[in-house]
Amino acid sequence: MSETTPMKKPKRPLPKSRVMTNELMDSVYAAAFDAEAKGEPVGWSTSIFPQELCETFGVPILYPENNAAGVAARHDSPRFIAQSEGELGYSNDICSYARLSIGMAHMIATDPNYERPALAMPRPTFLLCATNSCFELLKWYECLSRELNIPIFLQDCLYNYYEEEPASHKVKYARSQLEHNIKRMEEFFGKKFDWDKFLEIQKISNENSRLYDEIVLMNDRDPAPMNGFDLFNYMAPMVVARGKKETTAILLQLKKEIEENIAKGVSTFGSTPQDYRVDWEGIACWPNLGYNLKTMKKYGINCVTNGYVGAWSLKYTPGNLDEMGSQYMQSSTNVNSTLTTMGRRADCASHFQCDGMLCHVNRSCKFMTYHMFVGREIVEEKAKIPVASFDGDQADPTIFNEAQFETRVQSLVDIMKQNKEAKR
Amino acid sequence: MFAVGIDIGSTASKAAVITEDGVIASKAIVPIGTGTVGPARVFAEALDRAGIARSDVKWITATGYGRFSFEGINDQKSELSCHAKGISHLLPQVRTIIDIGGQDIKVMRINEKGTLVNFVMNDKCAAGTGRFLDTMAKVLDVSVMDLSGLSQRAEEPAEISSTCTVFAESEVISKLAGNVKLENIVAGIHKSVAKRVASLVQRCGIEQQVAMSGGVALNKGLVHSLEEEIHSRIYVHEDCQLAGALGAALYAWDHLQPA
C-alpha cells in the first residue's frame, strides 16, 4: 500500500446481539432448504400470519416480505422486479415486494440454474396468508399460488373502522379460522397438532413480544442508547422467528447491551451528537437505507422510534385462542382507521420527545399513503411537531432521489432548529 | 467586507452581494444551472457589478440543487429557508410563498421573521414545474418568456388534462394539429400547472399575504391562473427570481455580524 493512500476506517465489529441475529437467520433459511432437500413441506408466509401454528408443527416457514427487504437492501431487487414486469406482465404500479417475490418464484419454478440472490429461498409447497398487514396480499398470494400450483392457508382479518379493538363477532371469526387452519394443516402435513407444544410456543412468542416492546421503549432516553435504524435489523427475528427461544436469547442480549450503553452514556448512533430526535414514519426505504442513515447523521438526526417496527408485538394470554385471534385481527397498522393509527403515532412521537416526524411515502403502499397525508395534520396538531415527507419505495430503487431527500431533510432540520431555539 | 449568496438551481444560477451595512450591492442571473459554467459565471458577474474582488468577500452561502458542488463556499442552506428569508426581505407582509422551480414546486409558510414554519413539496413527478413549462414552450416553438403575453391574449383556455410532461406534450401537439389557437393552448397549459400547484397550496394552508418567488413568477399569465385557482391575490416582487440568492446572501451577512 502506498504511504499516501489513506487508511480505510476499520468497520466496527458487530455487537453480539447482531451476530446472534445473523446466525439465527442463517439457521432458519438452512432449515427451509434442508426440508426442501428431504421433500418435506416448506411454507412461504405473509409477515403477520399466526406463526405459532407451523412452529408447533415444526414445519419451516420463510417470509417473502422479509426476504424482499434483504434482497433490496443488497441492491439485488431490480432483476426480480424486471422479471415480474417483463415476462410475467405485472403492472409496475403494484407492490414492489409482490413484484420481487413473484419474479423470484417464477425463476425458482422454471429455471433450476437461476442466479440465486444472497438471500435465496427454496421452492415452497404451501402458502400462509393473513390479510392484516395489507389487503393486496390476497392477490399477491393468489398469484404465487397459481405460479407454483400450491395451496394457501388463509387467515382473513377484518378492518376495524368503528373500534380500536376488534368486535366480538370478528374475534369469533378469527378463532374459527385458526381452528379451521389447524385442521387443514393436520391433513396437509399428515401430523396431529400438539396442543401442549402450541401452548409453549405461545408463551415464547408472548415473551418475545414483551421483551421487544421493552427494548423499543428504552430508546425514549435522551440521548437515545440506540440508533433507531437498528430496530430495522432487530425486527427480523420478530418477523421470522417470533416463536423460537433463540429470539428470546437475542432480545435478552440486546437488552443487556442497551443497558450497558445507558450505564456508559454511549449509543450505537456513534459519537455524532444527537441534535434532533425524529419519528421515522413508515417502512424502511430498503434500497437506500445506507444513504438515508448517512444523511440523517450528517444533520445530527437520530430516528429514535418508528411505528412500523412494533407490528410484530402480539400479546395475549397463552392458551386463549380468542385473544390470540383478536391480536392478529388488529395488527398491524393497516387494519385500523387513520384516526387510530396516526393518533397512536402522535402519542408515540410525544412520548419519545421527538422534534419532528419524517414520513417515507412508500410508492408500493397506497394504504399507508392514505394514512400519511391525513396523518400529517393529526401529528402536527396533536404532537405539535413539524412533519416532512419524501418519496421512496421499499424495494424498487427507481423511485427514490437523493437530492430531493436531502432538501426535505434539511428543511425539516431548519424548522426543528428554530423550534428548539424558541423554547430556550 | 461583503457577503455573497449564490442560488444554483437546475435551470438557472443567481447571485446577490450584500455590503457590510446590509445593502444589496449587486445581483446577477445566468440562465444555466448546476453542472454548467453558470454558477462560476454568475458569481463573477455579481462581483464585477459590485466592483469588488474575490478577496473582498468574507462569507459565501450557497443554496439550490447545486449547493454542495460550488467551490469556496463557507456554508450551504436549503433553498426553502433561503426563499423564505429572501421573500420576507422583499415583501415583509408575506406569510405564504409559492416557488415553482426547475424540478420542484415548493409551498412554504413563514413567520414574521422570515423563517420557515411549514412546507409542502411536489412528489417526484415533474408535472407543473419550470421544466414542464420549458418543454411546452419548445413544443410550441416559442420562447418561455413569451408564454405570459400569449396566455393573456387567450379567449378560451384549451383543455390540457394530463399533468405528465410527456403526455401533455403529445396533447399539445394534437391541439396544434387541430388548429386550436396558440394563445388558448398556452392558457390551457398555465391552467393545468395552476391546478397542480393549487392542490399543494391548499395542503399547506394559506395565510395572507401570498407571494410567488422564482423566475416562473415573472410569467403573469401563470400567476393570474394560479390566483384564480387559489382564490387569492399573489404578490410578485420584481426581484422574485433572486429571492433564493438574496436569502442566502442575508444568511451569509448574518455570519458577519458580531455575536
Side-chain angles (χ1 to χ4, degrees):
Chain A
M1 186 187 285
S2 154
E3 277 178 25
T4 54
T5 308
M7 289 284 284
K8 261 195 170 178
K9 202 176 160 187
K11 273 195 169 179
R12 262 191 304 180
L14 286 177
K16 191 177 171 190
S17 57
R18 280 290 301 282
V19 174
M20 290 166 75
T21 300
N22 292 346
E23 285 170 359
L24 173 59
M25 296 302 283
D26 288 347
S27 75
V28 168
Y29 272 76
F33 273 107
D34 193 39
E36 184 195 37
K38 290 178 185 159
E40 293 172 358
V42 182
W44 280 12
S45 175
T46 59
S47 63
I48 321 181
F49 187 90
Q51 47 79 32
E52 292 88 338
L53 306 191
C54 280
E55 194 67 45
T56 302
F57 278 111
V59 172
I61 302 296
L62 291 180
Y63 295 80
E65 292 157 70
N66 168 268
N67 179 267
V71 171
R74 289 168 175 81
H75 308 289
D76 198 18
S77 55
R79 63 192 174 107
F80 298 107
I81 289 173
Q83 176 76 38
S84 261
E85 291 177 14
E87 194 180 329
L88 300 176
Y90 286 96
S91 161
N92 67 358
D93 219 22
I94 63 171
C95 166
S96 57
Y97 277 1
R99 278 177 284 153
L100 194 160
S101 86
I102 293 169
M104 190 187 287
H106 181 75
M107 288 186 193
I108 292 170
T110 57
D111 180 5
N113 299 316
Y114 90 102
E115 188 192 333
R116 287 181 171 196
L119 268 182
M121 294 202 291
R123 181 176 181 151
T125 59
F126 67 95
L127 299 165
L128 305 174
C129 177
T131 54
N132 42 16
S133 52
C134 166
F135 296 119
E136 274 188 42
L137 289 167
L138 272 176
K139 297 308 291 180
W140 171 4
Y141 273 62
E142 182 190 322
C143 295
L144 283 175
S145 169
R146 207 167 47 233
E147 183 70 40
L148 301 164
N149 193 25
I150 54 174
I152 306 176
F153 293 91
L154 181 69
Q155 184 77 23
D156 185 27
C157 300
L158 303 176
Y159 192 63
N160 304 300
Y161 183 71
Y162 294 107
E163 65 273 337
E164 292 201 356
E165 299 231 341
S168 60
H169 67 282
K170 293 181 186 170
V171 174
K172 202 171 164 188
Y173 179 48
R175 180 192 173 122
S176 70
Q177 289 183 85
L178 286 170
E179 289 167 340
H180 179 67
N181 276 323
I182 289 171
K183 261 190 208 160
R184 276 187 67 211
M185 285 179 182
E186 282 184 327
E187 289 163 18
F188 187 75
F189 299 143
K191 305 184 188 178
K192 286 297 285 178
F193 190 67
D194 181 341
W195 288 90
D196 292 334
K197 187 177 174 191
F198 181 50
L199 185 64
E200 278 311 302
I201 301 294
Q202 287 181 313
K203 284 179 186 168
I204 296 168
S205 303
N206 273 274
E207 174 62 1
N208 288 341
S209 295
R210 189 192 63 75
L211 273 170
Y212 189 78
D213 277 357
E214 207 180 314
I215 286 164
V216 169
L217 271 177
M218 289 169 91
N219 231 26
D220 65 2
R221 285 166 177 78
D222 189 10
M226 246 193 309
N227 176 353
F229 271 31
D230 289 354
L231 294 168
F232 286 132
N233 293 314
Y234 290 111
M235 73 182 208
M238 287 300 286
V239 177
V240 171
R242 193 164 63 255
K244 292 188 191 297
K245 279 185 175 166
E246 291 88 336
T247 297
T248 316
I250 290 170
L251 296 174
L252 286 170
Q253 174 62 29
L254 174 59
K255 191 180 158 193
K256 195 175 125 200
E257 289 166 9
I258 297 170
E259 283 167 346
E260 283 168 6
N261 282 353
I262 293 169
K264 287 182 200 158
V266 297
S267 169
T268 58
F269 191 70
S271 54
T272 310
Q274 297 181 37
D275 295 328
Y276 305 102
R277 299 167 65 84
V278 161
D279 185 339
W280 175 285
E281 177 52 45
I283 199 167
C285 191
W286 294 111
N288 310 93
L289 198 59
Y291 179 80
N292 293 151
L293 179 57
K294 201 174 86 183
T295 309
M296 295 299 199
K297 276 202 161 186
K298 179 174 163 186
Y299 292 99
I301 297 173
N302 186 0
C303 293
V304 291
T305 186
N306 79 65
Y308 168 69
V309 296
W312 291 270
S313 290
L314 293 99
K315 282 174 279 191
Y316 54 89
T317 309
N320 188 329
L321 265 193
D322 282 340
E323 278 187 30
M324 180 180 162
S326 173
Q327 278 292 295
Y328 279 98
M329 193 71 90
Q330 61 186 290
S331 189
S332 66
T333 51
N334 290 347
V335 278
N336 292 306
S337 72
T338 295
L339 288 179
T340 300
T341 300
M342 297 311 290
R344 286 176 186 161
R345 296 292 206 272
D347 292 342
C348 179
S350 296
H351 176 84
F352 280 83
Q353 302 163 66
C354 290
D355 303 301
M357 179 182 267
L358 187 62
C359 297
H360 171 204
V361 180
N362 176 18
R363 170 76 187 267
S364 279
C365 190
K366 307 293 185 276
F367 203 95
M368 276 307 292
T369 305
Y370 268 105
H371 277 329
M372 279 176 187
F373 279 73
V374 178
R376 173 185 183 132
E377 288 168 19
I378 296 173
V379 172
E380 282 173 347
E381 198 179 312
K382 212 172 166 189
K384 311 277 182 223
I385 54 172
V387 181
S389 58
F390 71 94
D391 291 304
D393 192 84
Q394 56 196 14
D396 187 341
T398 63
I399 310 299
F400 180 79
N401 179 285
E402 291 184 357
Q404 293 203 348
F405 177 73
E406 183 159 2
T407 295
R408 284 153 178 79
V409 169
Q410 196 177 11
S411 302
L412 179 66
V413 166
D414 286 346
I415 299 176
M416 292 192 295
K417 187 179 175 193
Q418 80 199 24
N419 287 350
K420 280 192 152 198
E421 283 168 358
K423 277 185 197 165
R424 274 180 202 142
Chain B
M1 191 173 74
F2 293 84
V4 175
I6 179 162
D7 177 7
I8 307 166
S10 59
T11 54
S13 306
K14 290 81 67 178
V17 177
I18 295 184
T19 68
E20 201 168 348
D21 304 326
V23 176
I24 299 170
S26 72
K27 302 168 278 191
I29 298 171
V30 168
I32 43 176
T34 184
T36 70
V37 294
R41 251 175 57 195
V42 83
F43 182 66
E45 246 177 61
L47 262 53
D48 192 40
R49 285 182 193 177
I52 59 171
R54 173 66 183 82
S55 55
D56 297 321
V57 177
K58 289 289 177 275
W59 199 278
I60 306 170
T61 297
T63 190
Y65 270 108
R67 65 189 180 279
F68 298 108
S69 54
F70 192 68
E71 274 186 29
I73 60 167
N74 297 91
D75 68 351
Q76 51 81 25
K77 293 285 288 182
S78 86
E79 52 262 48
L80 285 92
S81 292
C82 289
H83 276 281
K85 202 167 178 80
I87 285 290
S88 182
H89 182 82
L90 297 170
L91 300 164
Q93 302 305 315
V94 165
R95 297 290 176 270
T96 307
I97 304 169
I98 301 162
D99 172 49
I100 301 182
Q103 52 183 356
D104 268 340
I105 304 165
K106 313 168 191 79
V107 182
M108 296 155 265
R109 295 265 303 279
I110 64 171
N111 60 20
E112 68 288 351
K113 292 176 191 155
T115 47
L116 201 58
V117 174
N118 199 358
F119 67 94
V120 170
M121 294 176 78
N122 62 315
D123 55 28
K124 195 178 172 73
C125 174
T129 64
R131 189 67 82 186
F132 177 86
L133 290 170
D134 287 346
T135 305
M136 294 307 125
K138 205 176 274 181
V139 175
L140 295 170
D141 197 24
V142 298
S143 155
V144 74
M145 302 305 289
D146 295 334
L147 292 176
S148 180
L150 282 165
S151 77
Q152 288 179 81
R153 294 197 294 276
E155 293 148 5
E156 177 80 46
E159 183 75 29
I160 308 289
S161 54
S162 181
T163 52
C164 165
T165 308
V166 177
F167 293 156
E169 185 177 332
S170 59
E171 220 177 326
V172 165
I173 290 168
S174 74
K175 299 277 180 209
L176 284 172
N179 291 322
V180 177
K181 277 181 71 177
L182 184 64
E183 291 83 353
N184 290 347
I185 296 175
V186 175
I189 290 166
H190 285 166
K191 197 168 178 180
S192 114
V193 170
K195 279 182 185 295
R196 167 112 174 113
V197 176
S199 66
L200 294 177
V201 174
Q202 278 145 11
R203 202 192 299 162
C204 194
I206 293 180
E207 189 181 340
Q208 294 293 342
Q209 299 173 352
V210 182
M212 253 184 97
S213 69
V216 175
L218 296 169
N219 181 336
K220 286 182 184 161
L222 176 60
V223 173
H224 179 65
S225 289
L226 193 49
E227 284 179 329
E228 283 186 350
E229 292 297 329
I230 66 169
H231 310 293
S232 167
R233 182 177 170 186
I234 296 174
Y235 292 84
V236 176
H237 192 276
E238 59 182 3
D239 280 336
C240 55
Q241 196 174 2
L242 280 150
L246 179 58
L250 290 165
Y251 275 117
W253 186 78
D254 285 347
H255 277 284
L256 303 181
Q257 305 314 301

